[in-house]
Amino acid sequence: MKKSVFLGTLAASALIAGAASAQTLAEVQERGSLNCGVTTGLTGFAAPNAEGEWEGFDVGVCRAVAAAVLGDATAVEFVPTTGQTRFTALASGEVDMLARNTTWTFSRDVDLAFEFTGVNYYDGQGFMVPRELGVSSALELDGATVCIQTGTTTELNLADFFASNNMSYEPVPIETNAEAQQQYLAGACDVYTTDASGLAATRATFEDPSAHVVLPEIVSKEPLGPLVRHGDHEWGDIVRWTLNALITAEELGVTSANVGEIGGTTENPEIRRLLGTEGELGAMLGLEADWAANAIAAVGNYGELFEGNIGESTPIGLARGLNAQWTDGGLLYSPPFR
């Protein structure tokens, strides 16, 4: 009951905020920087490095939008948010967009009045346990204590999974991934559950990753993507098509290395439209003609962004899987640039 009241209140706030801030593009341009909501820290996706600079897969989406809108990928103010605070931050206008491992669901789209602008990672919920427990399946977790981030879809999926398999569990609520890691390693819970990508990212930071097992069951669909407020379609278009530009660039072989010259030399009309050497797509968005070229030059195409932050050559070691291009058997697909 409390959840319904919270959602309803937040939905009303979101509608008001959306109507009041329907010119996000103008605000970002006047401010000269993008306020982007990210996690409080998840290695590979969004976390400060040793120099205090934010980096990661989701951070790259923020930087791509800043490059497209402002021509400067460094013009981003990163705002850490938890599972509990992220939607309030967006609805209130504290941030212009979220790029924060957030699952696209019906209620978040419709009831909370947010607009998901695409999927930048197709994920699913998994479970991680210490290897010494000798557990090989999530179906062996009856009676376990489970670390779970509150205010997330994983919290609801966890309840569904245990109920549907006639098992019980004791939740250990946590707010951030850092807290989950601390509690899990301290033995406060037997199991940590979140998106499988988050488990891989968390395990990669452990002193001995091999001492922990990610169980084979994936118990949900978690399409993760950036989101903005309802009511500002111009801004939503910019975030949506910036992500699509990175996806299309990989499909068409446009990289951060060749983006500077390929638009003027290729005979492929879609590449020319993408990079602004032909057509008026930039003007349709209210941006310069080279908006997409700036985004690709700043962070690389989707494949470069993936491989550089969370791919198989990184400590996180994620395979492309469902996140491969549609031409390679994956789900990654952008509408055409025409």
Side-chain angles (χ1 to χ4, degrees):
M1 181 62 73
K2 288 181 180 178
K3 194 102 179 178
S4 299
V5 171
F6 169 75
L7 291 174
T9 303
L10 184 53
S13 301
L15 288 171
I16 294 170
S21 59
Q23 297 299 325
T24 307
L25 172 60
E27 293 174 6
V28 170
Q29 289 174 324
E30 182 177 358
R31 188 190 307 132
S33 65
L34 171 72
N35 293 333
C36 199
V38 293
T39 72
T40 53
L42 180 61
T43 300
F45 284 88
N49 61 23
E51 288 72 42
E53 297 177 350
W54 284 86
E55 60 184 15
F57 184 68
D58 286 335
V59 164
V61 174
C62 301
R63 293 198 185 282
V65 173
V69 174
L70 302 167
D72 182 358
T74 69
V76 185
E77 184 71 27
F78 293 100
V79 180
T81 61
T82 69
Q84 292 282 11
T85 65
R86 56 185 162 178
F87 298 129
T88 302
L90 181 58
S92 68
E94 182 183 1
V95 299
D96 304 307
M97 60 177 284
L98 282 177
R100 190 207 171 281
N101 306 80
T102 297
T103 303
W104 186 349
T105 71
F106 182 99
S107 59
R108 289 170 177 176
D109 189 333
V110 177
D111 191 32
L112 297 189
F114 296 130
E115 180 176 335
F116 283 80
T117 59
V119 177
N120 70 326
Y121 192 90
Y122 290 94
D123 212 339
Q125 184 174 342
F127 302 89
M128 178 168 64
V129 298
R131 187 178 295 278
E132 64 183 10
L133 288 184
V135 173
S136 60
S137 167
L139 296 174
E140 300 170 19
L141 295 176
D142 189 18
T145 52
V146 184
C147 282
I148 178 74
Q149 291 190 52
T150 53
T152 63
T153 54
T154 54
E155 184 179 20
L156 306 176
N157 297 333
L158 177 68
D160 288 350
F161 176 75
F162 274 76
S164 62
N165 287 288
N166 196 29
M167 300 191 303
S168 64
Y169 68 99
E170 181 181 344
V172 179
I174 46 93
E175 287 287 329
T176 67
N177 190 67
E179 183 185 358
Q181 179 174 328
Q182 180 183 35
Q183 294 282 60
Y184 171 80
L185 291 176
C189 53
D190 303 314
V191 186
Y192 179 33
T193 183
T194 187
D195 296 340
S197 64
L199 295 178
T202 301
R203 187 174 64 167
T205 66
F206 291 171
E207 183 175 347
D208 181 9
S210 65
H212 304 270
V213 178
V214 176
L215 300 176
E217 288 86 357
I218 298 295
V219 300
S220 69
K221 294 182 293 185
E222 305 292 337
L224 311 179
L227 57 153
V228 300
R229 292 176 288 274
H230 268 182
D232 190 348
H233 303 298
E234 182 180 24
W235 180 246
D237 285 345
I238 288 170
V239 177
R240 175 180 302 105
W241 284 97
T242 299
L243 175 59
N244 285 337
L246 304 184
I247 295 170
T248 296
E250 182 187 26
E251 180 184 343
L252 298 178
V254 180
T255 69
S256 57
N258 67 21
V259 66
E261 51 85 21
I262 193 172
T265 59
T266 182
E267 295 184 357
N268 184 316
E270 186 165 22
I271 293 178
R272 295 177 63 84
R273 289 192 296 270
L274 171 69
L275 301 183
T277 54
E278 179 180 316
E280 301 289 337
L281 297 187
M284 293 179 193
L285 287 172
L287 301 178
E288 300 293 332
D290 58 357
W291 64 280
N294 289 337
I296 298 163
V299 304
N301 64 36
Y302 181 92
E304 291 177 278
L305 189 61
F306 188 103
E307 295 301 336
N309 290 287
I310 56 177
E312 292 182 295
S313 63
T314 70
I316 298 169
L318 294 173
R320 287 292 292 268
L322 295 177
N323 296 287
Q325 289 278 342
W326 67 287
T327 48
D328 295 326
L331 298 178
L332 208 64
Y333 185 103
S334 165
F337 274 75
R338 66 163 60 255

